[in-house]
Amino acid sequence: MCGIVGYWGPHSPKDVIIQGLKKLEYRGYDSAGVAILDHDNFKVVRASGKLSELQKKLDHENFDGHVGIGHTRWATHGVPSERNAHPHSVEGVSLVHNGIIENYQEIKEKLSQEGVQFSSDTDSELVAHLIARDITKSKDLLKSVQNILPKLRGAYSIVVVWKNQPDTLVAFKNGPPLILGVGEKEMLIASDVQAIVEYTKNILYLEDFETVEVRGSQFRVFDSSGKVITRKPHLIEWSSKVIEKAGFDTFMLKEIFEEPRAVANALAPHIDLEKMQVQLTGIGFSADTYEQLTQLDFKKDSAKSVQVFREIERVFIIACGTSFYAGQVGEYLIENFAKLPVEVDIASEFRYRDPVIPKNSMVIVVSQSGETADTLAALRLAKQSGAITLSITNVKHSSIDREAQGHLYLNAGTEVGVASTKAFVATLAIFNLLALHIAKSRDQLTEHQEKHNLQALLAAPSQMEGVLSYDKFFNEAAKHFKSFKGLLYMGRGISYPLAMEGALKLKELAYMHAEGYAAGEMKHGPLALIDERMLIVMVAPQDKHFEKTLSNLQEAKARGGKIISIGTGECRELKDLSEYYLSLPKADWFVNPLLEVIPLQLLAYHVARTLQN
């Protein structure tokens, strides 16, 4: 969650770093700081709390240098405080760190035995001590970094400077993303492209165990053995304008209102409108992928994705958080359309449970950022097991995108809000297309079904526009909702993952107790919690599960629960049982999740805003 910005160039490092850190505020943080060159040393300024507190201190500070590093911290080791804020400085070495040093206790004990005194409770400071102790011998920042790397275990992205080499920044990573921006006579390093896109669109993504040395306007990349490797930056399409709020109070509300366009952009590259056919082109499966499945000679058999999908016998969908719930929707879609068995796993569980991956399996990994550490580890495990891998991401050239064999992109645009919204609906759109494509590859989809489903999906963005009108309702009703002791979200079938996603959004944004359940499981525990102080959010569209969902709702009503129901059209049964009834446009079952999620997001957003005020 920490934010990192480093800069060398002609502009004021203070201004560039602070503006970059502001672009990373969506990540959440508890303190911030900078280390900027001034009179042949790096002056460190830190503050607990918001960036505004750091800016107050910096208003009285001047720097004559052209290089610096900055950081926003989310506490892992040591309480949130100025003492534990980054950067950490030891004998002229200053660094910022994102991640966790897992063997920090072992390192700390050894350094303590050698007489080292610590000025913070963090694991990050230990890395600064290691570099500072080595640099007395090497007299070179890059060499010292390379010397201490084998001593670190864990997940880390680190940028470090040294007063005796004031034109040099060294960055190294294993896990959390780190990006080099190559400008015209200026260089930037950051944990997220949003922090540097205003200055350059030439981006180089560091791979795990790589080190980059910036010396003035030049850079070199080294592999884990210390060998120089040739890497060229990618030109990205992002613009700094797309991450502005555009008149909305918050990025999250802006991004909720961008969801219809996000769905349209996800669908557009993969539908032939003239023939009304799904065309999942550009996935990227190679000849080796097809031969891996079939042991057939590629020269005789085309390796188009149609044939790859025809050969697979099982699908695994691996993701975390919101992407995991989108993957569960994908499970319903693929099993229903393609008649192919699907297993959905949380990435952090999948990677540690020694999963059995049968022959001819496909592992689909989903990550908005393309950098989710557990999902990336699961992808690598799947590749080692011989599975075909396919990534669904929003960021081209991200770690997961680069390492998977096949690639699908959300095309959702920049998502600044830390609670994912438009990336979720874009993922649902991609899973719909993927399910249809697999079904077509396996002769499970008629021409009529394909046309009908695509027409329904293409109509979804305009239907979503109508659902956004509930923003006004939740803005007015949220004050009442915040008085409940908790919220239970329920749904059946494909609406069950939507109930869990709704609960997750409330927890992420409002810090209220909320749980998502399969409605049919209400008798197995949740029913005991229901009384007049419990708010029930029931997702109950007109589908094959409607009658059973209605009976669950009647049980909740009988125990005094206050009910918000989300249904289809003017549904009298739901209206009679509910305190509030929200009507969705009539849609096919596979389109319903795209509509259902909007009121769930708006509910979480407005309750959070009410609690904040």
Side-chain angles (χ1 to χ4, degrees), residues 466-478:
V467 181
L468 285 167
S469 64
Y470 282 120
D471 179 59
K472 183 177 180 181
F473 164 76
F474 283 116
N475 187 35
E476 296 171 353

Side-chain angles (χ1 to χ4, degrees), residues 42 92-94 131-132 134-135 138-148 159-165 168-172 211 213-215:
F42 281 91
V93 172
S94 300
I131 295 172
D134 188 273
I135 216 165
S138 73
K139 307 299 182 184
D140 182 80
L141 181 59
L142 173 66
K143 288 181 180 178
S144 289
V145 166
Q146 291 172 329
N147 289 341
I148 67 101
V159 183
V160 58
V161 291
W162 183 38
K163 67 177 184 178
N164 290 355
Q165 289 180 299
T168 301
L169 296 97
V170 176
F172 50 103
T211 303
E213 178 194 47
V214 171
R215 283 193 181 230

Side-chain angles (χ1 to χ4, degrees), residues 359-478:
K359 180 184 176 183
N360 287 13
S361 293
M362 174 174 287
V363 173
I364 302 171
V365 290
V366 189
S367 167
Q368 187 278 133
S369 67
E371 300 290 350
T372 311
D374 284 321
T375 308
L376 179 59
L379 168 63
R380 291 169 177 169
L381 176 62
K383 290 172 69 175
Q384 292 170 6
S385 301
I388 302 301
T389 58
L390 172 66
S391 66
I392 299 176
T393 71
N394 198 34
V395 183
K396 290 184 179 181
H397 311 301
S398 57
S399 298
I400 287 172
D401 177 47
R402 294 195 305 272
E403 294 198 24
Q405 292 162 292
H407 323 274
L408 284 170
Y409 302 108
L410 301 181
N411 297 320
T414 308
E415 188 170 67
V416 177
V418 71
S420 179
T421 52
K422 65 179 179 176
F424 178 78
V425 295
T427 308
L428 299 187
I430 289 296
F431 267 122
N432 266 282
L433 294 176
L434 181 60
L436 293 176
H437 183 74
I438 298 173
K440 189 175 180 179
S441 303
R442 302 171 70 84
D443 300 322
Q444 296 290 332
L445 187 71
T446 68
E447 188 174 317
H448 172 74
Q449 289 171 329
E450 180 180 21
K451 182 178 180 180
H452 170 82
N453 288 19
L454 292 178
Q455 287 174 332
L457 288 170
L458 289 168
S462 62
Q463 292 179 308
M464 295 168 71
E465 291 277 5
V467 181
L468 285 167
S469 64
Y470 282 120
D471 179 59
K472 183 177 180 181
F473 164 76
F474 283 116
N475 187 35
E476 296 171 353

Side-chain angles (χ1 to χ4, degrees), residues 189 232 311 338 353 365 370 524 552 573 591-592:
I189 299 173
K232 293 183 178 180
E311 297 297 332
R353 69 172 173 83
V365 290
H524 303 284
N552 297 135
E573 297 98 324
V591 174
N592 279 331

Side-chain angles (χ1 to χ4, degrees), residues 555-613:
E555 291 178 294
K557 180 74 172 180
R559 283 158 178 79
K562 304 301 180 183
I563 296 165
I564 299 176
S565 62
I566 300 171
T568 305
E570 295 300 312
C571 182
R572 177 53 57 188
E573 297 98 324
L574 288 178
K575 280 186 175 181
D576 290 343
L577 289 169
S578 308
E579 299 288 317
Y580 302 97
Y581 171 66
L582 308 181
S583 172
L584 301 179
K586 185 177 180 180
D588 288 278
W589 68 273
F590 51 87
V591 174
N592 279 331
L594 293 168
L595 310 179
E596 294 164 354
V597 72
I598 292 174
L600 299 177
Q601 293 167 342
L602 291 172
L603 168 62
Y605 172 80
H606 283 292
V607 171
R609 293 282 285 180
T610 301
L611 290 170
Q612 191 178 57
N613 296 330

